[in-house]
Amino acid sequence: MPDRTDCRIFANAAQTATKMNKPKTIGVVISTYNNPAWLEKTLWGYLYQTRMADEIVIADDGSRNDTKELIDSFRDRLPIKHVWHEDNGFQKSRILNSALIASESEYLIFTDQDCIPREDFIATHEKFAERGYLLSGGYFKLPMDISKQLTHEDISSKRAFDLSWLRAQKMPCSFKCTKLFRNTAFAAFMNFITPAKATWNGCNASGWREDMMRINGYNEEMQYGGQDREFGERLFNLGIKSKQIRYSAIVLHLDHKRPYKTKESIEKNRAIRRNTRKSGIIETPNGIKQLH
């Protein structure tokens, strides 16, 4: 039977192995396009994280100068990098690849300009991060009236994530409101039983930068409609597994229209995704190496 010294050695070894599996640096990649009002609310959320980002890379798909001015106003409060290219239609995949190249963190969380993180958002991704895995988060969608009215104080005080406060603002409630329950055991149970697959979701997903580089980043042939899922499907082809954390890593999704959504782009992307799954392709032929 091992003595106490042996037990301490085993415990220290287990702690060391766990730490080796955890990222040393964590970056956040935020996609944006001509919506500084929503981006500002999202950046407010990153001011109050319990685990601050080591870098925030803003992937800007050609916004006007007012977005740059907003980003510059946060530079003394957040470790921001602004990656921008000229507006040439919906080129989100391309600007995300540029952000990937610009990033320096070992581990990256991908999200959007309209997703306000709860204060434990980065800490939760860090908690569940593990070599050989990606993390699949979700979102809680707010109606347009509440999206507009949210203030800095609503976010800094955490009441924006409080279900009772949101209901007092006349927010309709459904089963999806359970995402806002602050109960670790309940979140773990819901992550386990949810029928939703743990896929790569562009508004809330994370993984190891080296894995993303190995698949050659995003497929720049793809426009709106499934380019994030295709990115994740190539990670799966690489052998990466997924964890479901949609009830643990919480973002509030601000309402907005999608004028860039077209039937043609969605059909084209579906065909590309079918080929990715069927062929088992890992490295996209239209990614970082070819086009940057």
Side-chain angles (χ1 to χ4, degrees):
M1 177 178 248
D3 60 21
R4 291 183 180 177
T5 302
D6 292 331
C7 288
R8 283 197 297 270
I9 292 172
F10 293 149
N12 289 338
Q15 290 175 359
T16 300
T18 299
K19 288 179 180 178
M20 288 176 63
N21 248 337
K22 295 300 179 184
K24 297 182 180 67
T25 53
I26 299 177
V28 179
V29 177
I30 304 174
S31 67
T32 192
Y33 177 71
N34 279 335
N35 198 337
W38 270 201
L39 179 60
E40 182 176 34
K41 294 173 191 282
T42 292
L43 290 177
W44 287 338
Y46 288 99
L47 293 173
Y48 303 103
Q49 293 294 297
T50 58
R51 197 287 190 201
M52 298 297 285
D54 295 296
E55 64 177 344
I56 295 177
V57 186
I58 299 183
D60 187 344
D61 192 15
S63 298
R64 295 181 295 267
N65 197 55
D66 53 355
T67 293
K68 179 183 183 301
E69 291 173 355
L70 169 72
I71 292 168
D72 287 344
S73 73
F74 278 87
R75 288 190 185 277
D76 62 342
R77 293 174 286 171
L78 292 171
I80 284 181
K81 295 178 180 178
H82 183 197
V83 180
W84 177 91
H85 62 199
E86 290 187 5
D87 189 352
N88 188 27
F90 187 90
Q91 297 293 325
K92 181 180 178 181
S93 294
R94 184 173 182 82
I95 198 62
L96 287 177
N97 279 343
S98 296
L100 248 178
I101 294 168
S103 68
E104 299 178 73
S105 297
E106 187 177 30
Y107 194 84
L108 296 173
I109 303 169
F110 279 70
T111 186
D112 293 326
Q113 67 181 6
D114 48 27
C115 295
I116 305 172
R118 195 168 69 183
E119 80 280 354
D120 60 347
F121 178 69
I122 296 177
T124 300
H125 277 273
E126 181 179 45
K127 174 184 176 181
F128 289 100
E130 184 179 348
R131 291 283 181 185
Y133 285 84
L134 64 84
L135 301 180
S136 177
Y139 61 85
F140 180 79
K141 188 172 182 178
L142 298 178
M144 182 60 80
D145 58 341
I146 298 179
S147 297
K148 288 180 177 179
Q149 79 177 51
L150 280 184
T151 67
H152 190 160
E153 187 180 352
D154 294 332
I155 294 165
S156 65
S157 68
K158 306 176 188 177
R159 61 176 173 248
F161 298 89
D162 184 83
L163 188 55
S164 60
W165 182 82
L166 287 169
R167 293 187 70 178
Q169 312 311 307
K170 312 297 184 188
M171 187 192 71
C173 207
S174 67
F175 180 77
K176 293 180 180 179
C177 289
T178 56
K179 289 181 180 178
L180 296 180
F181 288 0
R182 285 181 178 265
N183 184 295
T184 303
F186 177 79
F189 174 71
M190 294 302 293
N191 288 334
F192 179 73
I193 68 167
T194 180
K197 293 182 179 180
T199 56
W200 185 270
N201 306 315
C203 66
N204 186 352
S206 67
W208 299 85
R209 183 180 185 274
E210 63 181 3
D211 294 333
M212 301 174 195
M213 299 303 286
R214 286 179 66 187
I215 66 169
N216 201 23
Y218 285 80
N219 184 340
E220 298 186 18
E221 185 183 0
M222 302 178 75
Q223 294 186 317
Y224 180 82
Q227 74 272 32
D228 298 310
R229 294 292 180 88
E230 196 272 344
F231 180 84
E233 286 157 357
R234 283 185 286 110
L235 285 171
F236 293 146
N237 292 343
L238 180 64
I240 303 300
K241 298 177 182 178
S242 61
K243 293 183 187 180
Q244 180 65 270
I245 60 168
R246 68 192 315 224
Y247 283 84
S248 302
I250 302 302
V251 296
L252 297 177
H253 187 281
L254 303 171
D255 197 13
H256 63 89
K257 296 179 180 179
R258 293 176 174 81
Y260 42 77
K261 181 178 180 180
T262 68
K263 181 179 178 181
E264 292 76 18
S265 71
I266 290 174
E267 287 300 322
K268 177 182 177 181
N269 288 358
R270 282 176 178 167
I272 292 173
R273 288 183 61 196
R274 283 194 296 269
N275 180 65
T276 295
R277 293 190 295 268
K278 182 179 179 180
S279 66
I281 184 174
I282 292 172
E283 183 176 302
T284 178
N286 302 294
I288 290 171
K289 293 179 182 178
Q290 290 77 17
L291 302 168
H292 287 262

